[in-house]
Amino acid sequence: VAGPDERGYRFRGRTEALTEVVRWLDRPTPDGRVLVVTGSPGVGKSAVLGRVVTTADPGLRRELPPEDEAVRASKGSIACAVPAKGKTALEVAHEIARAASVPLQEAVEDLVPALRRRLAQRCRRFNLVVDALDEATTPEQARQLVRTVLLPLAAGAPDLPIQGVGGT
């Protein structure tokens, strides 16, 4: 829709991109890599990731119109989705911690060990989507988020049931 006051549903296209992201999230075994969705401003990166996140949510999925035939994520396939726009690395880390039921950390670097301990106890996959990495409060905050959260979490595979997708 064009704005928040307008009602309707108009998601169309991007089938190849949606299919690739959904396939990535549904892989049987994480392999230590992070899927990065890139493109110039306005091409629809956030729309694709938003579609994946919302269609993974069973409640939101029920609200889709019957004529919607676009690619959908598997129900429940996203454990945590965070828009990084305007946030520090620590703020994003706190959102991930809440989603994983991990105590909030004082430093970004503390999240990964705590999350690893928590996820080692789970048998279910923890798929993480972080969008708008390039729109964090500063470029350094974006780099810190990638260096201290996304890459270290992915590196825990295949021992940990976690995968990451980043939009930038």
Side-chain angles (χ1 to χ4, degrees):
V1 296
D5 296 334
E6 186 179 343
R7 295 275 183 227
Y9 184 83
R10 299 188 188 133
F11 192 91
R12 302 284 185 268
R14 298 182 183 91
T15 302
E16 189 175 336
L18 286 166
T19 301
E20 185 65 28
V21 173
V22 168
R23 246 189 240 138
W24 174 270
L25 294 169
D26 288 344
R27 296 178 310 153
T29 306
D31 61 4
R33 295 180 298 154
V34 174
L35 177 65
V36 180
V37 178
T38 64
S40 55
V43 299
K45 300 173 298 293
S46 292
V48 165
L49 293 177
R51 168 75 183 189
V52 169
V53 169
T54 57
T55 60
D57 181 279
L60 294 174
R61 190 180 182 119
R62 283 191 295 274
E63 295 180 26
L64 293 173
E67 65 273 9
D68 174 56
E69 295 179 4
V71 175
R72 297 178 183 195
S74 300
K75 288 181 186 176
S77 61
I78 306 294
C80 179
V82 184
K85 182 177 183 175
K87 295 177 184 165
T88 65
L90 185 59
E91 289 170 327
V92 173
H94 280 174
E95 290 191 38
I96 296 168
R98 276 191 291 277
S101 299
V102 171
L104 296 180
Q105 309 302 309
E106 291 187 28
V108 177
E109 296 79 9
D110 297 334
L111 174 67
V112 171
L115 198 53
R116 281 187 175 154
R117 284 189 299 274
R118 173 74 174 123
L119 293 178
Q121 300 167 2
R122 294 173 61 145
C123 57
R124 211 182 73 154
R125 175 74 58 88
F126 188 91
N127 282 332
L128 169 65
V129 175
V130 181
D131 190 25
L133 285 164
D134 55 316
E135 297 179 56
T137 54
T138 66
E140 179 51 41
Q141 289 295 306
R143 284 189 292 276
Q144 182 181 20
L145 184 57
V146 170
R147 261 193 331 264
T148 60
V149 176
L150 293 178
L151 292 177
L153 285 175
D159 299 331
L160 291 176
I162 189 163
Q163 295 190 121
V165 176
T168 186

